[in-house]
Amino acid sequence: MSNSSLRRKWRRGFICTDRESSFVMHLISPALKVLLYGKRAVAGQIVTALIAGSALFAAAGEPVVLKNFTDSARCTLKKPFASLSADGVTLRIDTTASENEWNPVFLTNPGVLKPSTAYVATFRCRVEEPDMNAKCLCFLCRPVSAEGSALDTMWEQGGGSASFRPVRIKFRTGNAADYAFQIHTHRKLKGEITDFRLVEGLGEDYYPATPDAAPCTDSPGPLPTGAKEFSVHPPSNPGGAVVEAAAFGLSADAADNVDALNRALEHCRETGAAKLAVAPGTYRMTADRPVRLERMRDFIFDGGGATFVWHKKREANFRLDGCERVVMRNFKMDWEWEKDPLASLVEVVDASDSRVDFRFCEYETFPRRDVRVIVVSSYDPATKSVGIEGGFDCFAEQKGVETEWLSENVLRMHGKNLPLFRKGQLFRMQHYYYDMDGFVMSDNRHLTLEDIDVYSCAGSAFVISGLQQYWEFRRVNIAAPAGVPRRLITCAGDHCHIRRSRGFFKMEDCEFSLGADDCLNAHDTSGYAEKSGTHSVTTRNVTSIDTFRPGAPVELRHGDYSPTGFRSAVKSVRPVDAEKGMHEITFEDPVPEPVDCGFILFNWTYDTRNIIVRNCFFHDNRARGILLLGRDITLENNHFRHNDMGAVKIETGYTFNLWSEGYGADNIVVRNNRFDSVNPRGAGSGGKARDIYMGVYMETDPSMRRTDYPILSNILFENNTFKDSYGLVAFISSAGNVTFRNNTFTNPTPRRDPLPYRAAFYVTNATGVRIVNNRYIASPNVPNPGVYADPDSVKGLVAAGNTVVSE
């Protein structure tokens, strides 16, 4: 059978719900369904097997809020950018004459949408000469009175096609009375939207958790096993010398110690020394050069409990390249805060549409007059970290803000489209963000970092790339030093970012906290390309083209991640427009014809897999706890607390102008972890806040952001405890063979915005999802415990044995 035939069969759903059984079940009365499902184990199992994921409760007919664009009492067209076809069915958009970057073209009138209510918008759209890098349609849910995007409950992009493509957007309004569905344009474009329909409700099936629900006892089938245990080999150099770093000029009295350490390390490499020993003390590191461990073998860097304090303008602190069987241990890394704070606590003392005045709370006189304002993030004084309900980030540098000092500790920030700053709000103001990383590691094998404390650094703490394989962190902590004031941030970037690797990474007994971004982001780097010859493709936005070397094994996937069956070696690479990330890659074998769009490139030179994260503590960071974009992964006995935007994200995706990360995810086990208040901000996906997210992003049709192909597969969450979820426990999409079983959910703390789906699950565009035998501790804060599912895109769902108990 051809690849295109397989692809068509997949889209039709060859793993599908039995339609006849589904129809029969919809005829059964709700009372009988509850009896069968919740009270009798045998009958409940029969029902689960019979419907295999179809609706337990028929969706009620949703009221139509708006159909087409002709009702001026219910919607407004923004002229001259929007006009109607003669029949009122098609909205014609033309912002080519506008000098504004953003142009609203359509919105529902205030009061048409109800507060805190769910809706679905469906339509078809197209854009002339589409180019998502340069222009796009934007669909959003925002109060009409809002001055910026801080109160948005939904924001989606569209317009990646010159022909009409269907769009379906689910969203929920917030508490304000004037929320509206809005359509804006980004930059100049011509486009059309037709067959528009806006209805109340989401058309979802609901499978409730109930008191005394009978356990689900049917066979789960094959379950993921997670990572295999492995060992990182220690150094073996019994005849090597022990070298004292002081002999090469390392001194607590020196203005800089970078060059002294490098002299000592070069001597160790040349002589085959077994260990470099550093005497206890505090050492200043001011040169704009990294400390280098290059091509070291069977070697130990022993910091002796020393503290290295950096203050410089560029380059990483440490670079480890091409080492094998090397250990770095027993030292601390810090930044010179007294001269140059990485971040500050500020309070809004005045604000208007175009400016905001910040007072530096912990300084009478801020030490730098040339202060940088990069990101300001809402701050919670109770937890002493970012992440608070209704909070937001303002990326000031991206908005082109200007600053001026009003006094020794009051700074005014001028800018356009500023968020809703209000007097009395607290923020963490970052002065550095992804500037100078702590440890940059590439192409090492059997590398151990242990007993290291990262107090702070001006970028990501750890960055891994290349052919790195077999490495571990043991008791590596990223945490502010105890008792030292003004330490609002540790690393000014990700705590640990694996850009690409050959896998086999282990971290045990570590603490990652207070960073500016994700705690752990593990992925490889993909790319997008279009066929340009019989044996060639031309890339779009592939920034890591140097990794596509001749001989590299590359797999091509369709734009929805389904397989093409093509895998071939790179023959040659030539630039087409290098500044735009466009290169022509020629393969040894002929390239197949694309379906719908181009191809996603998986470069299997790299394979970030077999990751073990055990007994670690991830807390109080901005963004997510862990991003898992690999295979063969085990997370067990960890504690996630107050991660600003959620705990675990399992995803993959590609864009034309930002990043393209991951080859999907497979064989992941998450067990015996604690998740506590892990999304305090209420960050959402698909219009829903969540603790755990599984999904994709696809630039060829970003308004859809889903694929029916299960690129995320074989995932197990078991025996975990979730406390105080803000919204969903998990949003599950673009996935297959996903199991949540024997988890406990407790929600004693009320929220300012009491979401009706709190602590529930939501499943869409997925196959073979099992949510079984989970336990809800009864709470008035969880009105609808259980599972929501999209009946049109979910197949093989089993939701059974989920029970509500008093304690």
Side-chain angles (χ1 to χ4, degrees):
M1 183 176 293
S2 68
N3 292 325
S4 59
S5 297
L6 285 172
R7 184 177 167 84
R8 286 193 297 270
K9 282 181 68 65
W10 180 269
R11 285 182 166 175
R12 288 198 302 267
F14 63 89
I15 302 176
C16 62
T17 300
D18 186 322
R19 296 289 182 182
E20 291 77 11
S21 296
S22 176
F23 177 74
V24 169
M25 287 307 300
H26 278 294
L27 299 179
I28 298 176
S29 71
L32 179 56
K33 290 173 185 173
V34 172
L35 175 63
L36 290 170
Y37 186 77
K39 298 298 183 182
R40 295 182 58 196
V42 175
Q45 293 162 31
I46 293 173
V47 170
T48 301
L50 176 65
I51 64 175
S54 60
L56 282 178
F57 299 97
E62 298 89 351
V64 177
V65 177
L66 197 64
K67 185 177 181 180
N68 68 47
F69 307 97
T70 59
D71 189 347
S72 60
R74 301 181 70 78
C75 65
T76 298
L77 277 62
K78 294 289 189 177
K79 299 180 178 180
F81 305 128
S83 61
L84 285 183
S85 61
D87 59 5
V89 172
T90 301
L91 177 69
R92 291 170 177 160
I93 299 168
D94 185 350
T95 58
T96 55
S98 174
E99 297 302 320
N100 298 324
E101 182 178 6
W102 299 92
N103 291 285
V105 296
F106 169 84
L107 71 157
T108 56
N109 292 338
V112 170
L113 302 187
K114 304 173 186 176
S116 302
T117 303
Y119 295 91
V120 180
T122 57
F123 51 89
R124 295 186 298 131
C125 72
R126 61 177 293 273
V127 166
E128 292 184 10
E129 299 179 354
D131 184 352
M132 295 295 290
N133 282 323
K135 56 192 175 183
C136 65
L137 295 167
C138 299
F139 310 101
L140 53 124
C141 181
R142 175 184 296 173
V144 175
S145 59
E147 301 170 2
S149 60
L151 297 179
D152 289 5
T153 59
M154 178 273 294
W155 193 93
E156 302 279 0
Q157 290 177 275
S161 173
S163 58
F164 280 107
R165 286 195 174 183
V167 177
R168 185 172 185 236
I169 298 176
K170 298 182 178 183
F171 65 96
R172 184 178 182 83
T173 56
N175 289 329
D178 63 338
Y179 266 93
F181 177 85
Q182 305 186 32
I183 303 173
H184 295 210
T185 66
H186 187 214
R187 302 194 180 100
K188 301 179 179 184
L189 62 79
K190 288 184 178 180
E192 292 182 317
I193 297 174
T194 192
D195 297 336
F196 182 82
R197 182 181 175 89
L198 180 64
V199 300
E200 182 179 336
L202 297 179
E204 298 166 348
D205 295 335
Y206 173 53
Y207 305 78
T210 58
D212 303 318
C216 178
T217 58
D218 66 341
S219 174
L223 290 172
T225 56
K228 295 180 180 179
E229 290 292 340
F230 65 95
S231 297
V232 175
H233 297 169
S236 179
N237 190 1
V242 175
V243 176
E244 299 293 335
F248 294 84
L250 188 75
S251 170
D253 298 325
D256 172 62
N257 286 282
V258 171
D259 290 340
L261 264 184
N262 279 332
R263 288 192 297 270
L265 287 165
E266 180 61 18
H267 172 79
C268 291
R269 189 180 67 82
E270 291 178 348
T271 62
K275 181 167 71 173
L276 177 67
V278 176
T282 299
Y283 300 95
R284 290 189 290 273
M285 316 292 284
T286 58
D288 292 327
R289 294 177 291 279
V291 175
R292 292 186 175 274
L293 281 77
E294 297 178 316
R295 304 182 306 282
M296 308 290 284
R297 299 289 185 273
D298 296 304
F299 176 74
I300 298 173
F301 180 102
D302 192 334
T307 301
F308 300 105
V309 181
W310 266 268
H311 187 224
K312 56 180 181 173
K313 297 180 180 179
R314 58 183 178 272
E315 292 285 354
N317 296 352
F318 289 97
R319 290 197 69 98
L320 288 80
D321 298 305
C323 296
E324 189 165 359
R325 293 182 302 279
V326 166
V327 173
M328 295 190 75
R329 70 187 185 197
N330 196 19
F331 60 90
K332 302 168 180 62
M333 183 171 72
D334 207 354
W335 179 260
E336 180 52 79
W337 281 72
E338 293 303 315
K339 296 179 180 177
D340 192 8
L342 296 178
S344 305
L345 177 63
V346 296
E347 179 185 8
V348 177
V349 293
D350 196 11
S352 70
D353 294 345
S354 59
R355 63 170 175 81
V356 56
D357 297 345
F358 295 108
R359 179 179 67 86
F360 287 76
C361 300
E362 298 179 303
Y363 295 91
E364 293 296 327
T365 299
F366 191 73
R368 288 194 61 166
R369 295 292 92 185
D370 58 341
V371 62
R372 293 172 68 198
V373 181
I374 304 176
V375 187
V376 292
S377 302
S378 298
Y379 182 83
D380 185 349
T383 62
K384 293 182 168 51
S385 63
V386 298
I388 190 167
E389 185 172 357
F392 61 90
D393 297 316
C394 175
F395 288 83
E397 282 197 338
Q398 292 181 9
K399 291 182 175 291
V401 302
E402 297 180 356
T403 60
E404 62 173 315
W405 286 102
L406 301 185
S407 70
E408 295 300 304
N409 70 343
V410 176
L411 183 75
R412 172 166 291 176
M413 186 173 79
H414 302 271
K416 296 180 180 179
N417 300 316
L418 294 177
L420 294 175
F421 289 102
R422 293 290 182 264
K423 186 175 180 179
Q425 292 173 329
L426 294 176
F427 290 88
R428 183 178 73 182
M429 178 183 288
Q430 287 181 224
H431 311 304
Y432 286 88
Y433 192 39
Y434 287 101
D435 286 279
M436 292 165 279
D437 299 323
F439 295 80
V440 175
M441 299 176 278
S442 179
D443 301 326
N444 304 288
R445 283 176 54 85
H446 295 287
L447 171 68
T448 297
L449 275 64
E450 62 185 12
D451 299 308
I452 296 173
D453 291 320
V454 177
Y455 291 153
S456 62
C457 66
S460 296
F462 302 96
V463 177
I464 294 92
S465 63
L467 301 177
Q468 180 122 336
Q469 190 176 45
Y470 293 105
W471 79 102
E472 63 183 349
F473 293 170
R474 301 171 58 196
R475 299 175 301 281
V476 172
N477 301 313
I478 304 173
V484 179
R486 302 172 177 168
R487 295 301 190 97
L488 278 78
I489 202 167
T490 52
C491 51
D494 286 339
H495 301 67
C496 181
H497 190 157
I498 304 173
R499 291 174 177 165
R500 62 186 67 88
S501 76
R502 292 291 296 164
F504 291 86
F505 168 54
K506 183 187 302 184
M507 58 181 297
E508 296 182 299
D509 303 304
C510 300
E511 178 184 359
F512 284 6
S513 64
L514 289 179
D517 221 303
D518 305 314
C519 289
L520 173 62
N521 185 350
H523 63 83
D524 295 305
T525 302
S526 62
Y528 180 80
E530 295 169 347
K531 185 172 181 177
S532 56
T534 58
H535 287 67
S536 64
V537 298
T538 297
T539 65
R540 298 194 47 187
N541 188 40
V542 175
T543 56
S544 55
I545 195 65
D546 58 309
T547 64
F548 289 83
R549 303 181 183 93
V554 174
E555 179 186 359
L556 299 184
R557 292 288 184 108
H558 289 295
D560 65 352
Y561 283 99
S562 60
T564 67
F566 178 88
R567 180 165 173 160
S568 183
V570 172
K571 187 175 181 180
S572 64
V573 179
R574 70 171 186 88
V576 175
D577 189 337
E579 290 187 0
K580 294 183 178 179
M582 299 177 67
H583 296 78
E584 186 177 70
I585 301 177
T586 301
F587 296 102
E588 296 287 350
D589 300 298
V591 174
E593 291 300 319
V595 177
D596 294 338
C597 53
F599 301 109
I600 310 164
L601 283 68
F602 292 175
N603 183 351
W604 286 107
T605 304
Y606 308 96
D607 188 2
T608 294
R609 60 179 291 256
N610 219 82
I611 297 172
I612 298 172
V613 181
R614 183 181 289 139
N615 302 324
C616 295
F617 186 19
F618 304 101
H619 65 100
D620 294 293
N621 64 297
R622 183 190 161 273
R624 289 67 58 101
I626 291 183
L627 281 80
L628 300 176
L629 289 76
R631 57 196 182 102
D632 307 330
I633 299 172
T634 297
L635 271 62
E636 60 185 4
N637 302 319
N638 303 293
H639 184 189
F640 295 81
R641 190 190 71 194
H642 203 254
N643 311 108
D644 176 48
M645 297 168 67
V648 177
K649 196 168 192 180
I650 301 173
E651 70 170 359
T652 196
Y654 61 93
T655 68
F656 294 162
N657 61 345
L658 291 172
W659 50 76
S660 300
E661 296 179 347
Y663 303 164
D666 182 46
N667 189 26
I668 295 175
V669 174
V670 182
R671 64 162 66 98
N672 300 330
N673 300 281
R674 288 184 292 158
F675 300 95
D676 186 355
S677 306
V678 295
N679 188 2
R681 185 192 299 195
S685 298
K688 292 180 170 65
R690 72 290 181 274
D691 293 355
I692 311 297
Y693 174 76
M694 301 178 199
V696 301
Y697 51 95
M698 301 185 297
E699 187 78 350
T700 50
D701 199 351
S703 63
M704 302 302 289
R705 301 195 180 190
R706 305 282 177 264
T707 174
D708 289 328
Y709 180 78
I711 189 63
L712 314 172
S713 59
N714 304 312
I715 299 167
L716 171 64
F717 279 72
E718 65 178 356
N719 301 323
N720 302 288
T721 299
F722 292 80
K723 181 182 177 183
D724 278 333
S725 299
Y726 181 94
L728 297 169
V729 171
F731 185 105
I732 303 169
S733 67
S734 303
N737 190 25
V738 174
T739 300
F740 276 78
R741 67 178 187 182
N742 303 326
N743 301 285
T744 299
F745 314 119
T746 177
N747 292 273
T749 306
R751 297 290 191 189
R752 189 177 70 191
D753 183 10
L755 299 175
Y757 57 82
R758 182 174 176 182
F761 292 81
Y762 181 71
V763 186
T764 182
N765 300 87
T767 303
V769 175
R770 292 174 53 83
I771 302 174
V772 298
N773 299 337
N774 299 289
R775 190 171 69 116
Y776 285 87
I777 307 301
S779 168
N781 303 313
V782 180
N784 301 302
V787 181
Y788 292 89
D790 175 22
D792 296 329
S793 65
V794 175
K795 303 172 181 67
L797 172 66
V798 177
N802 301 305
T803 186
V804 180
V805 299
S806 58
E807 184 52 50

